Amino acid sequence: MEKLYSHQEEKIAENRSRDTLFERRENLQRHASYASERLQYDAIKNGQTDRLLSIFQKTPDGTPGVLSRNELRNSKNMFIAGITLFTRAAIEGGVPEETAYALSDGYIQTVEECTSKYSIEKLSEKAAMRFAEEVQKHGMRNYSRTIEAAIKYIHLHLHTSITLEETAEAAGISPGYLSRLFKKETGMFLVDYIQKERIEAACNMLTYSDYTAAQISEYLCFSTQSYFIKIFKKYTGTTPAKYKKYKFQDWK
């Protein structure tokens, strides 16, 4: 029965694909090209906000896909598909995964509150710019391959315990040499950089997700919630609760 259902669903999808292609040909409509999607993807990955603004001003080279027969629902679905690409581009550009996914969740939740195609289009542009800005903030800044490897390891393990020894192993050098080289190239001690990145991730999770400070503290591997609050205040000048309150108002 399960196989039959799967086969039926597959046939329905194939038929709808053929119908959509036929309709586009009949109406002389062309799907937005892969090249135009790639332009946005590369601009975000490289943190090029000026290039993004230029792309927004260009006339689209095709029409959006058809993911729903309801026009507003279709715009929201296309927005969600776009956010998926933005997220991947940002991660490739050096944005920590947790930061990128928190942004993604926040924008997807927000698009559901939009009531017009125009508001969705503007939100999409705002999202693309924000992802590119995060790449500017987190990009590798011409670090050596060794330090790039160390930073990548840190970004991928913000939710687990990170030691100098494990980071050095990922970078392929000794702990002592990594400690000296990291300070030389980034201007920060490794432990301070890890703290800064965890607080950055916490800020984004507070802004774009429903996680509480206690949940974020545990997820980002702080020993206690009080220690998390102390370090959070050190880098932001305020508490997680106040930060969430003010950023939530800005986001809305």
Side-chain angles (χ1 to χ4, degrees):
M1 183 65 182
E2 203 171 300
K3 285 186 178 180
L4 177 62
Y5 179 78
S6 177
H7 180 68
Q8 289 173 340
E9 292 292 297
E10 184 179 348
K11 292 299 291 182
I12 291 170
E14 288 177 359
N15 290 336
R16 284 177 175 165
S17 297
R18 282 196 295 267
D19 290 345
T20 299
L21 182 59
F22 179 77
E23 287 177 18
R24 284 187 176 278
R25 287 174 174 170
E26 281 290 294
N27 298 320
L28 301 178
Q29 291 178 332
R30 180 187 173 195
H31 196 291
S33 69
Y34 169 74
S36 64
E37 287 185 357
R38 190 74 211 189
L39 283 175
Q40 277 200 48
Y41 189 96
D42 289 342
I44 292 170
K45 186 177 75 171
N46 295 311
Q48 298 169 318
T49 52
D50 290 345
R51 188 178 172 196
L52 273 178
L53 288 173
S54 175
I55 292 171
F56 296 153
Q57 293 169 1
K58 290 182 179 179
T59 302
D61 63 357
T63 58
V66 181
L67 303 182
S68 172
R69 295 298 176 183
N70 178 284
E71 189 175 50
L72 185 61
R73 181 68 259 167
N74 188 66
S75 294
K76 291 180 179 181
N77 289 348
M78 290 301 299
F79 176 92
I80 293 169
I83 286 293
T84 301
L85 290 177
F86 297 171
T87 304
R88 291 174 181 171
I91 291 172
E92 278 195 38
V95 177
E97 288 187 15
E98 292 307 323
T99 297
Y101 287 133
L103 277 171
S104 173
D105 291 349
Y107 278 112
I108 289 173
Q109 290 167 24
T110 301
V111 78
E112 294 300 335
E113 300 173 9
C114 292
T115 57
S116 69
K117 283 180 63 178
Y118 178 79
S119 63
I120 293 171
E121 288 170 4
K122 290 304 171 185
L123 185 64
S124 179
E125 292 178 3
K126 180 180 178 182
M129 291 292 288
R130 180 58 195 276
F131 277 105
E133 288 165 0
E134 287 297 321
V135 172
Q136 290 178 353
K137 191 187 302 181
H138 293 280
M140 290 303 180
R141 301 178 178 85
N142 297 318
Y143 294 141
S144 66
R145 289 187 178 181
T146 299
I147 297 305
E148 283 186 5
I151 288 174
K152 183 176 180 181
Y153 178 84
I154 291 167
H155 286 173
L156 290 173
H157 295 83
L158 290 176
H159 59 289
T160 64
S161 176
I162 302 174
T163 67
L164 172 61
E165 289 73 22
E166 289 168 342
T167 309
E169 184 178 350
I173 58 176
S174 71
Y177 183 46
L178 173 63
S179 185
R180 294 191 298 274
L181 187 62
F182 197 92
K183 179 67 167 65
K184 179 182 177 182
E185 292 196 22
T186 69
M188 299 180 70
F189 291 110
L190 186 74
V191 65
D192 292 331
Y193 182 86
I194 293 169
Q195 279 189 351
K196 180 180 76 70
E197 290 302 304
R198 281 185 167 144
I199 295 304
E200 182 69 35
C203 287
N204 282 295
M205 292 176 77
L206 286 166
T207 305
Y208 304 111
S209 77
D210 295 326
Y211 291 114
T212 65
Q215 290 171 323
I216 293 171
S217 170
E218 182 178 359
Y219 181 77
L220 292 175
C221 227
F222 285 91
S223 54
T224 64
Q225 189 176 348
S226 60
Y227 181 64
F228 167 60
I229 293 172
K230 176 183 176 182
I231 299 301
F232 190 94
K233 197 167 183 179
K234 171 185 173 183
Y235 284 96
T236 68
T238 189
T239 65
K242 289 181 179 178
Y243 184 92
K244 186 175 182 68
K245 178 183 177 182
Y246 295 140
K247 286 296 180 178
F248 179 77
Q249 290 171 348
D250 291 342
W251 176 255
K252 299 303 282 185

